[in-house]
Amino acid sequence: MGLEEITAYILIGAIIFVLLVGFIVYSKITRKEEIKPITVTPENYDLRTIGITEIDRMHDGSEFEMYLYRLFLELGYSCVYKTTNSRDFGADIVFTDRDGIRNVIQAKRYSEDNPVGISAVQEVFSCMRYYKAKKAIVIASAKFTEPCETLAGINYVKLLDRSDLISMIDDFKRNDIQGVRDRIEAEPRMILESWSEANSGVLHEIRKDYKAEKYVKRVMGK
């Protein structure tokens, strides 16, 4: 075998090797792109193509906030703002409803089996005075815990859970803007039984920490 033949075989082998490595790298990149979560940005989707499945696949809560921000703009609300990701004081979105009342929204994109806890109500309720809002809403992609619902009911905070969100999305896709607005602006569930009870001087029963009481009595000699 001559030198020219050996050189030709080496060149062919090198070309085959490069093509094989390129194919392997391309296959890995393609597989990664197929399984990675959906990336939702203002530029890459039609709002009416987003359903609860796409929301569950979002990377994080900021994408859910952007979706809701765009949704409230599409619903025709006035003075709709998305707050900054840091130092938002508990509000993700601020808007003015049809009655001219400013609302603050806390958005929670949780997995379906991870209910939203009491901190969501605490955060959105505590920021109302900062934003000079009169109403507070929590919109979540999951259910709420019982303590969360209790605190919301006492403080008149509106809770919209996963089923509410799905209904809002479905109504929006059907172009039932009125239906979505009615659900958002419906009065929150109030736990107090009557107006007289709301103005009663009787204090709620406090669940005491009896271990703490026993400890303090012991160390104070009482």
Side-chain angles (χ1 to χ4, degrees), residues 52 56 64 108-116 139-144 160-163 165:
I52 195 64
D56 288 337
F64 183 46
K108 292 295 185 184
R109 194 202 67 81
Y110 283 19
S111 60
E112 186 176 4
D113 58 351
N114 183 21
V116 179
I139 303 178
S141 59
K143 297 291 186 181
F144 296 99
L160 294 169
D161 64 10
R162 186 180 182 88
S163 61
L165 178 61

Side-chain angles (χ1 to χ4, degrees), residues 1-63:
M1 182 180 295
L3 180 60
E4 292 182 357
E5 291 179 327
I6 295 174
T7 302
Y9 280 123
I10 293 174
L11 181 60
I12 292 171
I15 292 173
I16 293 173
F17 176 78
V18 170
L19 291 174
L20 181 61
V21 171
F23 176 77
I24 293 172
V25 171
Y26 175 79
S27 298
K28 289 183 177 180
I29 293 174
T30 303
R31 284 196 296 270
K32 287 182 179 179
E33 290 179 347
E34 288 175 351
I35 63 175
K36 72 179 184 179
I38 185 173
T39 300
V40 177
T41 65
E43 297 80 18
N44 76 348
Y45 68 92
D46 176 0
L47 203 64
R48 283 182 167 79
T49 65
I50 301 297
I52 195 64
T53 301
E54 287 71 31
I55 289 174
D56 288 337
R57 292 173 56 203
M58 289 177 177
H59 278 95
D60 53 38
S62 63
E63 293 179 7

Side-chain angles (χ1 to χ4, degrees), residues 54-202:
E54 287 71 31
I55 289 174
D56 288 337
R57 292 173 56 203
M58 289 177 177
H59 278 95
D60 53 38
S62 63
E63 293 179 7
F64 183 46
E65 293 169 18
M66 180 60 74
Y67 167 78
L68 291 177
Y69 173 50
R70 289 188 54 189
L71 177 63
F72 275 71
L73 287 171
E74 289 282 348
L75 293 173
Y77 283 117
S78 62
C79 302
V80 182
Y81 306 101
K82 182 183 178 300
T83 63
T84 57
N85 291 331
S86 61
R87 293 179 62 83
D88 61 17
F89 297 97
D92 298 314
I93 297 167
V94 181
F95 78 99
T96 301
D97 63 25
R98 289 174 291 181
D99 293 326
I101 298 173
R102 172 171 279 191
N103 290 243
V104 286
I105 297 175
Q106 172 79 225
K108 292 295 185 184
R109 194 202 67 81
Y110 283 19
S111 60
E112 186 176 4
D113 58 351
N114 183 21
V116 179
I118 199 170
S119 62
V121 174
Q122 294 171 331
E123 290 169 10
V124 76
F125 182 76
S126 63
C127 78
M128 288 175 63
R129 291 188 64 181
Y130 177 82
Y131 289 101
K132 298 181 180 179
K134 294 183 178 179
K135 291 184 178 181
I137 305 172
V138 181
I139 303 178
S141 59
K143 297 291 186 181
F144 296 99
T145 63
E146 185 177 345
C148 182
E149 291 183 351
T150 299
L151 190 64
I154 291 172
N155 289 288
Y156 216 51
V157 173
K158 175 77 174 179
L159 298 182
L160 294 169
D161 64 10
R162 186 180 182 88
S163 61
D164 293 310
L165 178 61
I166 292 172
S167 296
M168 288 165 57
I169 293 171
D170 291 342
D171 288 344
F172 176 71
K173 288 183 177 181
R174 291 194 298 268
N175 205 33
D176 183 8
I177 304 302
Q178 178 78 19
V180 184
R181 286 175 159 188
D182 289 344
R183 185 177 295 272
I184 292 170
E185 298 178 33
E187 291 298 311
R189 182 174 73 98
M190 194 171 183
I191 288 182
L192 295 174
E193 295 180 357
S194 64
W195 180 251
S196 60
E197 183 177 353
N199 289 276
S200 172
V202 179

Side-chain angles (χ1 to χ4, degrees), residues 201-212:
V202 179
L203 298 176
H204 286 286
E205 181 183 357
I206 298 175
R207 297 179 63 184
K208 298 180 180 180
D209 185 340
Y210 291 105
K211 289 184 179 180

